[in-house]
Amino acid sequence: MIIANIIALIIVLIGCFNWGLVGIFNWNLVTALFGAASVIATIVYVLVLISAIWLIIALCMERGRISFRRD
């Protein structure tokens, strides 16, 4: 589980870096690398989404139950 969290965090950080470039410079790294309408670019965006969802769920889960507070 820890390895999955680390991989998800790296993917989300790559996505955050890409959106930072879009916001600051209006330049999309994923589009520049893989093309605007390519299947690979779509896969990258879906992987970022899945990784973000994974991290949200992992943050909320505590010992098999959902918890939003730290004891």
Side-chain angles (χ1 to χ4, degrees), residues 27-38:
W27 185 68
N28 192 332
L29 179 64
V30 175
T31 300
L33 291 175
F34 303 116
S38 73

Side-chain angles (χ1 to χ4, degrees), residues 43-65:
I43 291 170
V44 169
Y45 291 130
V46 170
L47 283 175
V48 171
L49 172 68
I50 292 170
S51 297
I53 292 170
W54 175 270
L55 289 176
I56 291 169
I57 291 171
L59 183 65
C60 295
M61 295 295 291
E62 181 181 344
R63 296 188 190 122
R65 33 168 223 222

